[in-house]
């Protein structure tokens, strides 16, 4: 397990607990009382740290190297039923954007999401989770297929942004994202969106329009990353913590501003500390929201979705 700078007190206590247990095993000394005290202290420290996280610390947690990615969620939620589909039928298959059919119980869903890599090789292969235009066009092709067969769509967002390279612009990055936003507003099947890591800029919005938008507790959703915001405003990355505070990018900020529908609780310490529990929580959320949305007719779905987004940003002075 890797630890972030603010998690170091937890690391120290966990190491103490391990040593205490080893001493107990290797000698005849009864250390159960000492171990209990360390466990109690560890529990208190954990609660104290995660109760008072700053926006920047939540950004750090969303990028934790041990945090589960899109494919981890899909494989855990769907098991062997997941069938990945490839290509945009135009340019190529974008490895940063994945999608396919999978089941929760007896219900089929079209899963779409950005996929990051676990090491240098897979990060390059997945382009660091930054999709090209063909990635967004693949996502739209899959959504349209889902609509044709009456299958609900689940989008899992985890991206530092759409790929900003020259070749992406040449192939119409802005148009591809804008097209997805337009088509998603009028898709005649339920769309459930979950931000599972980073939700940055148009890269996230390209698959982010939904009837229900959920955010895991330690994720962020914003027009720009704190580092980029800091470099624009202060010509330096040093002010990223101030930028994170000002951007109002945490799940609780987004809920307060009525830009998302629900905050999904994570296990203490973040999704990576208890992956199975996180997968189970999200699986249940997707199933319960779909149960609610399937009662609406396609016409009602689209009308409600349009109204939801039209009301965002309305200010009564």
């Amino acid at each position: 397990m890797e630890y972030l700078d603010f998690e170091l007190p937890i690391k120290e206590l966990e190491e103490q607990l391990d040593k205490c247990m080893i001493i107990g095993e290797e000698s005849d000394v009864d250390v159960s009382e000492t171990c209990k005290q360390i466990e109690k202290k560890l529990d208190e420290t954990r609660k104290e740290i995660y109760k008072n996280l700053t926006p920047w610390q939540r950004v750090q947690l969303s990028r934790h190297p041990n945090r589960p990615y899109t494919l981890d969620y899909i494989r855990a939620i769907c098991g062997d039923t997941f069938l990945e589909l490839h290509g945009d039928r135009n340019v190529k298959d974008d490895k940063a954007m994945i999608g396919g059919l999978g089941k929760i119980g007896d219900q089929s869903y079209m899963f779409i999401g950005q996929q990051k890599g676990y090491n240098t090789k897979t990060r390059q292969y997945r382009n660091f989770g930054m999709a090209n235009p063909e990635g967004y066009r693949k996502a739209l092709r899959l959504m349209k297929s889902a609509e044709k067969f009456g299958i609900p769509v689940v989008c899992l967002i985890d991206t530092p942004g759409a790929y900003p390279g020259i070749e992406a612009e040449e192939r119409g990055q802005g148009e591809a994202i804008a097209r997805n936003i337009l088509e998603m507003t009028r898709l005649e099947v339920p769309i459930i969106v979950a931000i599972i890591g980073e939700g940055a800029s148009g890269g996230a919005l390209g698959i982010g329009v939904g009837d229900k938008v959920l955010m895991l507790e330690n994720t962020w959703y914003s027009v720009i990353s704190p580092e980029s915001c800091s470099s624009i405003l202060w010509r330096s990355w040093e002010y990223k913590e101030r930028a994170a505070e000002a951007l109002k990018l945490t799940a609780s900020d987004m809920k307060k501003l009525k830009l998302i529908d629900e905050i999904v609780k994570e296990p203490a310490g973040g999704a990576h500390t208890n992956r199975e529990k996180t997968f189970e929580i999200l699986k249940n959320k997707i199933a319960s929201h779909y149960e609610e949305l399937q009662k609406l007719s396609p016409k009602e779905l689209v009308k409600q979705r349009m109204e939801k987004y039209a009301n965002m940003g309305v200010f009564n002075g």
Side-chain angles (χ1 to χ4, degrees):
M1 177 72 78
E2 293 187 45
Y3 293 86
L4 301 167
D5 52 2
F6 64 88
E7 293 178 312
L8 291 178
I10 294 168
K11 185 187 178 185
E12 284 168 20
L13 286 164
E14 281 180 350
E15 283 170 357
Q16 281 177 29
L17 186 60
D18 288 343
K19 279 176 192 169
C20 185
M21 285 173 168
I22 290 164
I23 290 166
E25 283 167 16
E26 290 178 353
S27 65
D28 294 330
V29 183
D30 182 17
V31 291
S32 56
E33 198 53 48
T34 312
C35 287
K36 269 183 196 167
Q37 285 175 351
I38 297 170
E39 274 175 2
K40 192 183 172 194
K41 182 88 173 91
L42 179 62
D43 203 39
E44 285 168 6
T45 308
R46 211 178 251 135
K47 278 179 186 165
E48 195 56 39
I49 287 173
Y50 296 117
K51 193 173 68 184
N52 302 303
L53 289 175
T54 66
W56 173 244
Q57 285 168 341
R58 291 203 189 275
V59 171
Q60 286 178 289
L61 271 177
S62 76
R63 296 169 177 165
H64 199 288
N66 301 122
R67 196 176 174 87
Y69 295 142
T70 299
L71 270 174
D72 299 320
Y73 282 94
I74 292 173
R75 283 174 185 147
I77 289 170
C78 304
D80 297 334
T81 65
F82 180 61
L83 172 71
E84 191 174 348
L85 301 167
H86 299 271
D88 71 334
R89 303 292 184 269
N90 190 8
V91 178
K92 62 175 182 179
D93 183 40
D94 190 340
K95 305 297 182 195
M97 184 75 77
I98 58 139
L101 292 161
K103 282 188 169 186
I104 298 176
D106 294 328
Q107 175 61 48
S108 294
Y109 294 85
M110 181 67 81
F111 286 89
I112 294 163
Q114 292 102 350
Q115 175 67 21
K116 292 176 175 177
Y118 302 94
N119 52 35
T120 308
K121 196 175 178 181
T122 55
R123 281 177 195 130
Q124 285 177 319
Y125 178 72
R126 297 288 179 187
N127 200 29
F128 299 88
M130 295 188 289
N132 276 282
E134 51 271 22
Y136 292 100
R137 291 182 181 125
K138 168 164 85 170
L140 183 58
R141 181 178 77 80
L142 299 185
M143 288 182 218
K144 285 289 185 185
S145 295
E147 182 183 44
K148 185 179 177 182
F149 297 107
I151 296 167
V153 174
V154 176
C155 295
L156 304 176
I157 295 174
D158 186 11
T159 179
Y163 183 59
I166 291 171
E167 61 273 37
E169 296 300 338
E170 284 172 347
R171 293 198 295 274
Q173 186 70 288
E175 188 277 337
I177 291 169
R179 170 77 52 200
N180 276 24
I181 294 169
L182 169 68
E183 295 293 349
M184 285 181 89
T185 56
R186 57 192 189 192
L187 208 71
E188 293 187 344
V189 288
I191 308 171
I192 298 162
V193 176
I195 293 123
I196 58 168
E198 300 184 90
S201 193
L205 275 183
I207 57 166
V209 179
D211 300 295
K212 295 289 176 187
V213 180
L214 322 175
M215 262 181 99
L216 265 69
E217 203 178 354
N218 297 308
T219 61
W220 61 277
Y221 198 19
S222 177
V223 293
I224 194 168
S225 71
E227 293 93 333
S228 301
C229 178
S230 172
S231 66
I232 291 168
L233 294 181
W234 293 286
R235 300 281 183 269
S236 161
W237 276 26
E238 279 176 36
Y239 301 94
K240 54 188 182 288
E241 293 178 37
R242 271 177 72 184
E245 188 75 47
L247 282 166
K248 302 286 179 212
L249 43 65
T250 65
S252 52
D253 289 323
M254 296 299 284
K255 184 81 174 79
K256 218 174 280 175
L257 294 166
K258 296 181 179 165
L259 298 173
I260 63 160
D261 299 288
E262 190 182 348
I263 300 168
V264 178
K265 283 275 185 195
E266 291 183 25
H272 59 283
T273 58
N274 190 340
R275 285 169 161 236
E276 282 65 39
K277 191 178 176 188
T278 310
F279 299 147
E280 194 58 36
I281 291 167
L282 190 62
K283 178 182 176 176
N284 293 337
K285 290 286 178 194
I286 291 167
S288 66
H289 281 297
Y290 173 64
E291 211 171 290
E292 196 183 311
L293 292 167
Q294 71 169 340
K295 294 169 188 166
L296 301 171
S297 70
K299 210 171 183 179
E300 286 171 321
L301 262 180
V302 174
K303 184 172 179 280
Q304 229 177 68
R305 198 183 303 144
M306 289 279 200
E307 281 173 2
K308 175 185 171 177
Y309 282 90
N311 289 332
M312 283 183 187
V314 171
F315 178 72
N316 297 319

